[in-house]
Amino acid sequence: MLSCVLTTKNMEASHIVAELKRLGYRARLIQDLSGFNLTALREIRSFLHHLGRQEEMPVIQDERWMWAIGKLKEEFRESTCLPECLKLLSDFEKTNDVKYRSDLEQYIIETKYEDLITNPANTIFVSTIHKAKGREFDTVYMNLNQYEIQDDEQRHVLYVGMTRARDSLFINENNGLLEGVYAKGAKQRQENSDFDQNTEILLPLGHKDIWLSNCLTMQQTIRQLHSGSELFLQSDWSMYSVLNNKKYSVLRLSKRSISALSWYLDNGYEFSRAEVRFLVYWYPQDKPEKEGLIVLPDLYLKKKLDSEN
């Protein structure tokens, strides 16, 4: 059974996925990955490299396919992205008796990373309503925090969220939005308990959140990382990894992410932990020959114990 928690704001989604993880649930945030497609993911790029060039092998032989998968497992055995990459290749293999290299590359381009989550029935997805467009889940929990309907656009957002549910829909609201609204089979319950504020928040950083060209100067270090590698935040807004007991910088935050992070730090949060979410290839628009790996991290912040915010 696929379950999803929907919110109207990115910040609320970030709070909820971090809290679910803290409580021991397997939770995944549906992110906007418009900055790259899966052909840029390091693991996938490495697999395509092991297959050989398309002009040399337009049809992939089974022996070569299995050898490349073996190399992928060996090279990225510690990567948190490996299960999703293996699922992508397995799904392609099931529907293609003859494996054309061109078909594989097109399949990779058209596949969404969230669709590759292994064992999705045991995963709670978390998303804003906007990012959940076009998706459906067996059970949907909508979290409407002080949500108001003042125009057709806001009414449409509510409609989109409701229609993501195939079987069951639960709506949590706190400003009387649904008072007097009744539907066949629907039940209403009032909850007056006080809930603790979320103590942790997840901030997934994308292309616009890091200084991209700066990563190109750190390739030797970045190539030693993998998805899931631990990262640390420095006072100059750079992030580093510890390799062989030494600190090595791997990225700098952009003005946009510094501004967002500063807001949280000024409002009762502090840095908790960080890890590499994706390693992807990128190049300056006018210099494709300068292509290199960049780090897209997940940052976790936590509420200060003495904070009143």
Side-chain angles (χ1 to χ4, degrees):
M1 182 179 71
L2 292 177
S3 301
C4 184
V5 180
L6 296 179
T7 71
T8 58
K9 299 177 181 178
N10 287 315
M11 185 186 302
E12 292 172 357
S14 296
H15 273 299
I16 290 171
V17 73
E19 186 67 7
L20 286 170
K21 287 186 175 183
R22 186 185 70 82
L23 293 172
Y25 293 98
R26 185 180 182 189
R28 297 294 293 264
L29 185 67
I30 295 178
Q31 300 174 231
D32 179 9
L33 301 180
S34 58
F36 71 96
N37 62 55
L38 292 182
T39 57
L41 192 65
R42 187 187 186 190
E43 291 84 349
I44 295 299
R45 184 72 68 85
S46 177
F47 177 78
L48 294 175
H49 171 75
H50 290 312
L51 286 179
R53 292 186 298 176
Q54 178 172 337
E55 54 269 28
E56 296 175 349
M57 192 173 295
V59 177
I60 307 167
Q61 301 301 316
D62 290 343
E63 295 79 4
R64 187 73 177 190
W65 177 267
M66 295 307 300
W67 179 81
I69 287 180
K71 294 293 289 184
L72 176 69
K73 291 179 178 179
E74 176 186 351
E75 186 176 358
F76 298 102
R77 57 186 177 276
E78 296 181 345
S79 170
T80 56
C81 289
L82 179 59
E84 285 77 21
C85 294
L86 292 176
K87 185 176 187 304
L88 180 147
L89 299 175
S90 175
D91 290 348
F92 176 79
E93 189 174 15
K94 290 175 183 177
T95 56
N96 292 268
D97 293 332
V98 179
K99 305 179 192 66
Y100 291 97
R101 174 65 176 263
S102 57
D103 290 347
L104 172 63
E105 294 186 358
Q106 188 61 36
Y107 182 81
I108 293 171
I109 291 172
E110 295 174 353
T111 300
K112 294 181 179 179
Y113 188 81
E114 285 81 11
D115 295 334
L116 301 173
I117 302 302
T118 54
N119 200 8
N122 292 333
T123 301
I124 301 175
F125 294 90
V126 182
S127 173
T128 61
I129 294 173
H130 172 73
K131 291 174 184 173
K133 272 187 175 182
R135 299 175 180 272
E136 289 186 344
F137 304 89
D138 298 308
T139 301
V140 167
Y141 302 86
M142 286 182 63
N143 189 56
L144 303 177
N145 183 20
Q146 298 298 323
Y147 190 75
E148 297 181 353
I149 297 180
Q150 298 178 339
D151 53 38
D152 288 340
E153 182 178 349
Q154 291 170 327
R155 185 175 291 105
H156 179 67
V157 169
L158 188 60
Y159 169 79
V160 170
M162 289 179 169
T163 54
R164 298 311 92 202
R166 294 193 191 103
D167 300 322
S168 303
L169 173 65
F170 299 86
I171 301 177
N172 178 41
E173 56 97 2
N174 55 4
N175 66 345
L177 178 67
L178 299 179
E179 284 185 7
V181 177
Y182 300 96
K184 184 179 180 180
K187 298 179 181 179
Q188 293 189 359
R189 187 181 73 179
Q190 185 172 351
E191 177 62 68
N192 296 316
S193 302
D194 291 328
F195 295 95
D196 293 334
Q197 290 186 343
N198 292 324
T199 58
E200 193 172 47
I201 186 170
L202 165 63
L203 297 179
L205 303 190
H207 283 66
K208 295 181 180 179
D209 299 309
I210 66 172
W211 185 0
L212 295 170
S213 59
N214 183 253
C215 284
L216 298 182
T217 67
M218 306 172 180
Q219 292 298 287
Q220 185 174 355
T221 300
I222 291 175
R223 290 184 181 279
Q224 298 181 63
L225 304 178
H226 57 78
S227 295
S229 291
E230 187 175 15
L231 300 175
F232 303 89
L233 181 66
Q234 299 192 108
S235 59
D236 65 352
W237 303 109
S238 66
M239 301 195 74
Y240 69 89
S241 177
V242 176
L243 301 169
N244 299 320
N245 296 318
K246 293 183 179 181
K247 297 180 180 180
Y248 294 93
S249 293
V250 295
L251 67 90
R252 285 185 177 275
L253 302 183
S254 68
K255 291 182 179 179
R256 165 176 141 153
S257 57
I258 291 174
S259 176
L261 191 54
S262 296
W263 185 91
Y264 284 106
L265 298 180
D266 292 340
N267 284 273
Y269 285 87
E270 61 185 356
F271 176 76
S272 174
R273 55 194 173 91
E275 64 182 20
V276 176
R277 183 69 189 98
F278 297 113
L279 290 171
V280 298
Y281 284 93
W282 173 86
Y283 58 84
Q285 190 171 7
D286 58 339
K287 297 180 179 179
E289 72 279 3
K290 297 292 186 180
E291 184 183 63
L293 281 170
I294 63 171
V295 179
L296 300 182
D298 278 350
L299 271 64
Y300 289 84
L301 306 178
K302 64 181 179 180
K303 274 276 190 177
K304 295 179 180 177
L305 295 179
D306 59 347
S307 173
E308 297 179 358
N309 294 310

